[in-house]
Amino acid sequence: MKYIFITGGVVSGIGKGIVAASLGKLLKSCGIKVSIQKLDPYLNVDAGTMSPYQHGEVFVTEDGAETDLDLGHYERFIDENLTRCCNVTTGEIYSSVIKKERHGEYLGKTVQVVPHIINEIKENIFKAGERSKIDVAIVEIGGTVGDIESQPFIEAIRQIYLDLGRESVMYVHVTLVPLIPNSKDQKSKPTQHSVKELLSFGIQPDIIICRSDSLLDGDLRRKIGLFCNISSDLVIDNPNISNLYEIPLVFEKQNLSQKVCKRLRLKYIKPDLELWRTFCVRVTNLKKKIIIALVGKYVSFPDAYLSVCEALKHAGVYLDVLVEIKWINSDYISQENTKDLFGDVCGILIPGGFGIRGFLGNVIAAKYARENNIPFFGICLGLQVMIVEFARNVMKLKNANSTEVDSETAYPVIDIMENQKNEQNMGGTMRLGGFPCEVLRNSRAFDAYRETQIIERHRHRYEFNNTYYEDFVFYGMVFSGISPNEKLVEIAELKERPWHVGVQFHPEFKTRPNRPHPLFLGFVKQSLVFFDS
Ligand code: GLN
């Protein structure tokens, strides 16, 4: 098995995750089996306890890990379900080493960063590769070279080269080539400095990928090659581009897959990117445009809803329509301004969320959708909002609520799950990951899925309170998805509406560019019908 390590330099946020995902896409398209892992230098054990303002969305894997949002990019690009091994944090490494120390596993030795932490990191890198039985493991190191936090990771990947040898390990360094505004000059110096920093840790990059406003000019490429010790054709352009899915194609124009295969002595077969290319062409030539409202607390920070946005995009491209998202802060919604806010939208989506803030605004949005026949899609918290709204306004259960919002409510139509009641720890303790669900025939959900057995990913502590099951059914709610074991409500919908659907899971984690998620497809389809009517 071979390893490609991806490091970053100059500044953070230059799209290392997309580079890793794109490289994975290219190699997979050459017939190579790949997996992608992210090493995150922070001390949180996983991303689950972090606010969306810090790192954007928490992505959930099929096996129930709460991970960095880059794993979402990886899954969408390489079209593989990743596992909890694919995201490792410093917090996780230290917890494991300290646990072993408490068990006496180090046999009296002084436990130190070198070698114990480094060895633990290496084990985690090897373990992820072996588990997934692949040819090439791509490993992205979070942060930038030179950060104090990431040094143990850099040392670990340096040692792996020593352990496995040149044919099994290569390094890709992603840097920024800034443009000085007035002189219109692209500058290579920051790249030179960051490569120097990387060299000081004993790592010579094999390929340098330069993020820039526009393509690099030839002289600059030669200069970067010369001063960073690589041939200039291994300096790869990564210009700003609005459609992320085009990046593998931009790289392939520069023969990146061939260069990587040559370096790692992998058999090279020209990548088959036809379907991907078709998707990208469609993205730029969409016939219609519709506006869908996305209602939530973190709307000033769209990364918090990254997979939802991608899922809408995938469904839109499939239906040849550009889905423009209208971001609506649930805090600012009142009975008086609904017309102003939602007057021009063809669909309303309420995604996942936590806590009290913005809940009432969400309920008002769900009511407006129901009363005006606007296609409505509630995801996780969105389903809970839909249930509360229906209880209050249709069933006339005064002040019905979720106990997450009001623990004293007379009608707890959404309540904490039994097995969550005594849970004290916050991290990794929700109902997490893929669970089976049985879909009722003769429902909107079945129309979308066309199958009765599905598996969807979850991340929640609260649930529909089954004490009220019959009452809701009496008033016209259809529970069209139920978990076979615990009998939890997973999908709810209104019979009388073209699309008023809520799901307790997160379908957005399973969408793919050329395989939009069936529920997003159903929702966007109905939004288009609404647009045309
Ligand atoms: N806060 C709700 C719960 O814990 C919804 C969670 C979510 O939307 N992911 O059940």
Side-chain angles (χ1 to χ4, degrees), residues 352-354 380-381 384 404 459-462 506:
F354 293 84
C380 205
L381 179 79
Q384 300 176 357
E404 182 180 12
R459 181 171 185 253
H460 60 119
R461 291 187 205 285
Y462 294 80
H506 289 271

mmCIF file of all heavy atoms in Angstrom, residues 352-354 380-381 384 404 459-462 506, ligand 1:
data_model
loop_
_atom_site.group_PDB
_atom_site.id
_atom_site.type_symbol
_atom_site.label_atom_id
_atom_site.label_comp_id
_atom_site.label_asym_id
_atom_site.label_seq_id
_atom_site.Cartn_x
_atom_site.Cartn_y
_atom_site.Cartn_z
ATOM 1 N N GLY A 352 -30.738 20.782 10.313
ATOM 2 C CA GLY A 352 -30.475 20.407 11.698
ATOM 3 C C GLY A 352 -30.058 21.587 12.556
ATOM 4 O O GLY A 352 -29.661 22.639 12.052
ATOM 5 N N GLY A 353 -30.182 21.439 13.866
ATOM 6 C CA GLY A 353 -29.781 22.505 14.780
ATOM 7 C C GLY A 353 -30.014 22.083 16.220
ATOM 8 O O GLY A 353 -30.618 21.037 16.485
ATOM 9 N N PHE A 354 -29.550 22.908 17.108
ATOM 10 C CA PHE A 354 -29.639 22.587 18.535
ATOM 11 C C PHE A 354 -30.064 23.818 19.328
ATOM 12 O O PHE A 354 -29.754 24.946 18.926
ATOM 13 C CB PHE A 354 -28.270 22.107 19.051
ATOM 14 C CG PHE A 354 -27.864 20.789 18.446
ATOM 15 C CD1 PHE A 354 -27.243 20.747 17.208
ATOM 16 C CD2 PHE A 354 -28.132 19.600 19.098
ATOM 17 C CE1 PHE A 354 -26.891 19.540 16.628
ATOM 18 C CE2 PHE A 354 -27.782 18.382 18.537
ATOM 19 C CZ PHE A 354 -27.159 18.352 17.297
ATOM 20 N N CYS A 380 -33.994 16.675 10.655
ATOM 21 C CA CYS A 380 -33.622 16.508 12.066
ATOM 22 C C CYS A 380 -34.347 17.541 12.923
ATOM 23 O O CYS A 380 -35.538 17.388 13.151
ATOM 24 C CB CYS A 380 -32.102 16.557 12.233
ATOM 25 S SG CYS A 380 -31.584 15.663 13.701
ATOM 26 N N LEU A 381 -33.702 18.634 13.324
ATOM 27 C CA LEU A 381 -34.435 19.674 14.051
ATOM 28 C C LEU A 381 -35.639 20.120 13.213
ATOM 29 O O LEU A 381 -36.712 20.429 13.739
ATOM 30 C CB LEU A 381 -33.526 20.880 14.339
ATOM 31 C CG LEU A 381 -34.221 22.020 15.066
ATOM 32 C CD1 LEU A 381 -34.334 21.702 16.546
ATOM 33 C CD2 LEU A 381 -33.489 23.335 14.880
ATOM 34 N N GLN A 384 -38.558 18.084 13.835
ATOM 35 C CA GLN A 384 -39.103 18.353 15.179
ATOM 36 C C GLN A 384 -39.920 19.648 15.164
ATOM 37 O O GLN A 384 -40.987 19.744 15.774
ATOM 38 C CB GLN A 384 -37.944 18.405 16.179
ATOM 39 C CG GLN A 384 -37.174 17.073 16.211
ATOM 40 C CD GLN A 384 -35.945 17.079 17.125
ATOM 41 O OE1 GLN A 384 -35.604 18.098 17.717
ATOM 42 N NE2 GLN A 384 -35.284 15.940 17.225
ATOM 43 N N GLU A 404 -36.440 19.885 24.509
ATOM 44 C CA GLU A 404 -35.142 20.558 24.377
ATOM 45 C C GLU A 404 -35.331 22.067 24.528
ATOM 46 O O GLU A 404 -34.470 22.779 25.018
ATOM 47 C CB GLU A 404 -34.519 20.246 23.002
ATOM 48 C CG GLU A 404 -33.139 20.871 22.791
ATOM 49 C CD GLU A 404 -32.521 20.573 21.428
ATOM 50 O OE1 GLU A 404 -33.240 20.067 20.533
ATOM 51 O OE2 GLU A 404 -31.334 20.856 21.251
ATOM 52 N N ARG A 459 -27.975 12.086 13.946
ATOM 53 C CA ARG A 459 -27.187 12.803 14.956
ATOM 54 C C ARG A 459 -28.154 13.615 15.819
ATOM 55 O O ARG A 459 -28.415 14.782 15.554
ATOM 56 C CB ARG A 459 -26.176 13.734 14.263
ATOM 57 C CG ARG A 459 -25.292 14.496 15.240
ATOM 58 C CD ARG A 459 -24.168 15.242 14.532
ATOM 59 N NE ARG A 459 -23.280 15.863 15.478
ATOM 60 C CZ ARG A 459 -23.229 17.173 15.709
ATOM 61 N NH1 ARG A 459 -23.999 18.012 15.041
ATOM 62 N NH2 ARG A 459 -22.384 17.643 16.605
ATOM 63 N N HIS A 460 -28.732 12.969 16.812
ATOM 64 C CA HIS A 460 -29.727 13.674 17.629
ATOM 65 C C HIS A 460 -29.922 12.997 18.976
ATOM 66 O O HIS A 460 -29.545 11.828 19.152
ATOM 67 C CB HIS A 460 -31.074 13.739 16.882
ATOM 68 C CG HIS A 460 -31.657 12.387 16.563
ATOM 69 N ND1 HIS A 460 -32.868 11.975 17.037
ATOM 70 C CD2 HIS A 460 -31.177 11.353 15.829
ATOM 71 C CE1 HIS A 460 -33.130 10.751 16.597
ATOM 72 N NE2 HIS A 460 -32.110 10.347 15.865
ATOM 73 N N ARG A 461 -30.557 13.745 19.905
ATOM 74 C CA ARG A 461 -30.906 13.174 21.220
ATOM 75 C C ARG A 461 -32.424 13.118 21.427
ATOM 76 O O ARG A 461 -32.909 12.426 22.290
ATOM 77 C CB ARG A 461 -30.355 14.067 22.348
ATOM 78 C CG ARG A 461 -28.860 14.060 22.465
ATOM 79 C CD ARG A 461 -28.405 14.824 23.703
ATOM 80 N NE ARG A 461 -27.052 15.316 23.510
ATOM 81 C CZ ARG A 461 -25.971 14.550 23.572
ATOM 82 N NH1 ARG A 461 -26.085 13.271 23.845
ATOM 83 N NH2 ARG A 461 -24.779 15.062 23.354
ATOM 84 N N TYR A 462 -33.149 13.906 20.648
ATOM 85 C CA TYR A 462 -34.602 14.014 20.840
ATOM 86 C C TYR A 462 -35.326 13.290 19.714
ATOM 87 O O TYR A 462 -34.755 13.054 18.649
ATOM 88 C CB TYR A 462 -35.014 15.497 20.909
ATOM 89 C CG TYR A 462 -34.457 16.178 22.136
ATOM 90 C CD1 TYR A 462 -33.134 16.619 22.163
ATOM 91 C CD2 TYR A 462 -35.230 16.327 23.275
ATOM 92 C CE1 TYR A 462 -32.597 17.201 23.297
ATOM 93 C CE2 TYR A 462 -34.702 16.920 24.414
ATOM 94 C CZ TYR A 462 -33.387 17.361 24.429
ATOM 95 O OH TYR A 462 -32.871 17.934 25.558
ATOM 96 N N HIS A 506 -30.216 12.659 8.600
ATOM 97 C CA HIS A 506 -29.562 13.678 7.773
ATOM 98 C C HIS A 506 -29.273 13.126 6.374
ATOM 99 O O HIS A 506 -28.180 12.617 6.120
ATOM 100 C CB HIS A 506 -28.247 14.116 8.420
ATOM 101 C CG HIS A 506 -28.429 14.916 9.655
ATOM 102 N ND1 HIS A 506 -28.545 16.290 9.648
ATOM 103 C CD2 HIS A 506 -28.536 14.541 10.948
ATOM 104 C CE1 HIS A 506 -28.707 16.727 10.890
ATOM 105 N NE2 HIS A 506 -28.702 15.685 11.699
HETATM 106 N N1 GLN B 1 -31.420 19.213 18.696
HETATM 107 C C1 GLN B 1 -32.152 18.115 18.125
HETATM 108 C C2 GLN B 1 -31.844 16.799 18.808
HETATM 109 O O1 GLN B 1 -30.824 16.655 19.456
HETATM 110 C C3 GLN B 1 -31.904 18.022 16.646
HETATM 111 C C4 GLN B 1 -30.505 17.608 16.300
HETATM 112 C C5 GLN B 1 -30.136 17.899 14.866
HETATM 113 O O2 GLN B 1 -30.808 18.640 14.181
HETATM 114 N N2 GLN B 1 -29.032 17.341 14.424
HETATM 115 O O3 GLN B 1 -32.598 15.885 18.703
#
